Amino acid sequence: MPPQDHPTWLLDERRALGDRIRERRMWRDLTQEKLAERAGVSRDTVQRIERGTSDPRYSQLARIARALDTPLAELLS
C-alpha cells in the first residue's frame, strides 16, 4: 500500500513514534549517525523513522530501543 493510501491515523502514529525516538535520541545527546551506528541500522533509516515516512520493521525498532536504552513498549506507547 503506497503511503498516500494510508489512513490519516496511521500517518499520525508514525509521526508520533518518530517524535518519541527523536526526543530520546536528543536527550541522550546522540546524533542520528551515532544512533544508527549503535543500533546497527543506516542513518537513512533513522531519518525516515524520525520523519514518520517509513513503515519500520519490528527488528529496526527493537534495535533502536536498545541503543536508546529504552523499552520498546515505551517508544510504541
Side-chain angles (χ1 to χ4, degrees), residues 3-66:
Q4 64 270 18
D5 292 340
H6 288 307
T8 303
W9 66 266
L10 183 57
L11 298 174
D12 291 343
E13 288 293 325
R14 276 198 211 157
R15 287 185 199 107
L17 171 64
D19 290 344
R20 286 189 294 275
I21 290 172
R22 182 181 312 103
E23 287 169 5
R24 282 164 180 77
R25 174 180 61 77
M26 293 176 78
W27 186 77
R28 295 204 179 278
D29 199 28
L30 295 172
T31 63
Q32 288 179 336
E33 188 171 333
K34 193 63 166 174
L35 174 58
E37 181 183 306
R38 287 183 180 192
V41 298
S42 72
R43 182 172 159 266
D44 288 340
T45 295
V46 172
Q47 284 180 321
R48 286 191 305 270
I49 291 172
E50 285 189 0
R51 280 194 315 254
T53 58
S54 174
D55 203 359
R57 294 188 315 248
Y58 176 85
S59 61
Q60 292 170 325
L61 292 177
R63 288 171 175 264
I64 289 171
R66 178 169 261 199

